[in-house]
Amino acid sequence: MSELRLLGPAEIRDLAELTGVTPTKKLGQNFVIDANTVRRIVRVAEVEAGDTVVEIGPGLGSLTLGLLEAGAAVIAVEIDGRLAEQLPVTVAQLAADATRRLTVIHQDALTVTSLPADPARLVANLPYNVSVPVLLHFLEHFPSLRSGVVMVQAEVGHRIAAGPGSKVYGAPSVKAAWYGTWRVAGTVSRQIFWPVPNVDSVLVGFERHERAGDESLRKRTFALVDAAFQQRRKTLRQSLSSVFGDPASAEAALEAAGIASSLRGEQLRLDDFVRLASGS
């Protein structure tokens, strides 16, 4: 596809002034002002012409334009009404031929359970304050998503992609693993944002895989994961007693699943939690 005119620092500030938007921590708004970073995200996500991509929190449209430049159809979910209203206008001005490939949904991403088309990829600069809940929500409700790349706070990104035994391995790591394989796909400079955040960011990529098990098993598994990591220092015998009723019942269930009750949650793989949930 031919290159479009992407947004730079001056355009971002002009659009913010035009819409009356002052970036807020409450909504996790840090707008991308670097076209090279936008194209890098699109490239890492392997977005191709004809793909249907869902973007969460498009903001002023930096990444949206990059996705449209690649030839994708974009479904953009935006909670801020001013930004949702302005985005089609911005695209019409800078990429008139691409307007038919943009759909804007003005809604809180955590309440979205249906979309006008089935997206194959999720590509987004996720708001820092809700990145994990939003990511898991979309993976749960949209099985058509096969892959994606999200930009998140570095600490969060490393936690999502972490494996068992890592210091940052936790409930988000296990829940993300239910849906697919994850990797940290690169670091991002703070300077490509406006305003400049006080934290580092990373790109996290995923490839979805099919998992044996229905929604009931997923819920039981996630309940065990939440309990196991709610009190990280406690052994599974203690931490899972809230799920099984008491420590003795938790120990019996763990023994039946072939898991030592003296272990802690951070030592278990997703398959261990699934095996335990299958017997409960």
Side-chain angles (χ1 to χ4, degrees):
M1 301 295 292
S2 59
E3 289 194 351
L4 303 178
R5 179 182 158 203
L6 301 189
L7 300 175
E11 291 88 353
I12 288 292
R13 288 180 173 84
D14 287 347
L15 282 169
E17 184 177 353
L18 175 67
T19 55
V21 169
T22 300
T24 67
K25 285 188 176 180
K26 180 181 178 182
L27 294 178
Q29 291 173 327
N30 294 90
F31 301 122
V32 180
I33 59 174
D34 180 63
N36 288 332
T37 298
V38 167
R39 291 190 172 113
R40 177 187 170 204
I41 294 170
V42 174
R43 186 171 64 251
V44 171
E46 299 181 350
V47 176
E48 299 177 348
D51 284 348
T52 298
V53 177
V54 62
E55 181 189 5
I56 301 160
L60 292 167
S62 301
L63 182 55
T64 311
L65 285 165
L67 293 166
L68 291 171
E69 179 183 63
V74 180
I75 303 170
V77 180
E78 175 57 59
I79 191 174
D80 190 315
R82 296 164 300 177
L83 297 175
E85 186 177 352
Q86 177 61 36
L87 186 56
V89 178
T90 300
V91 170
Q93 291 173 341
L94 299 179
D97 292 344
T99 53
R100 59 183 174 78
R101 289 188 276 114
L102 173 67
T103 303
V104 179
I105 297 174
H106 174 210
Q107 194 172 335
D108 180 343
L110 285 169
T111 68
V112 174
T113 55
S114 64
L115 293 171
D118 294 329
R121 303 184 195 273
L122 189 160
V123 185
N125 169 26
L126 289 177
Y128 283 170
N129 53 342
V130 292
S131 52
V132 172
V134 164
L135 192 54
L136 294 176
H137 176 83
F138 269 72
L139 287 167
E140 175 188 343
H141 288 91
F142 300 102
S144 63
L145 289 170
R146 308 314 305 168
S147 67
V149 170
V150 294
M151 184 157 55
V152 294
Q153 184 177 335
E155 179 185 348
V156 173
H158 287 291
R159 190 178 301 143
I160 292 171
S166 164
K167 289 182 179 179
V168 295
Y169 181 71
S173 321
V174 185
K175 291 178 179 180
W178 174 274
Y179 297 105
T181 55
W182 299 77
R183 70 190 189 284
V184 174
T187 58
V188 181
S189 168
R190 300 182 186 190
Q191 303 307 314
I192 63 100
F193 294 102
W194 176 73
V196 177
N198 57 5
V199 293
D200 294 319
S201 298
V202 296
L203 301 179
V204 179
F206 72 89
E207 297 288 336
R208 192 170 194 135
H209 54 55
E210 297 300 327
R211 171 160 295 281
D214 57 14
E215 180 64 5
S216 176
L217 178 60
R218 184 193 68 79
K219 288 182 176 179
R220 292 199 304 275
T221 301
F222 281 20
L224 290 170
V225 171
D226 286 335
F229 286 99
Q230 195 167 13
Q231 304 175 76
R232 292 180 69 104
R233 293 178 180 273
K234 291 191 174 183
T235 64
L236 292 169
R237 183 180 190 274
Q238 294 296 328
S239 63
L240 297 183
S241 62
S242 61
V243 177
F244 290 101
D246 56 66
S249 298
E251 183 168 7
L254 286 160
E255 183 177 343
I259 301 169
S261 61
S262 59
L263 295 177
R264 292 178 172 81
E266 65 206 49
Q267 296 171 281
L268 267 58
R269 298 172 296 118
L270 170 65
D271 288 345
D272 296 321
F273 283 107
V274 173
R275 193 166 67 254
L276 184 59
S278 298
S280 61

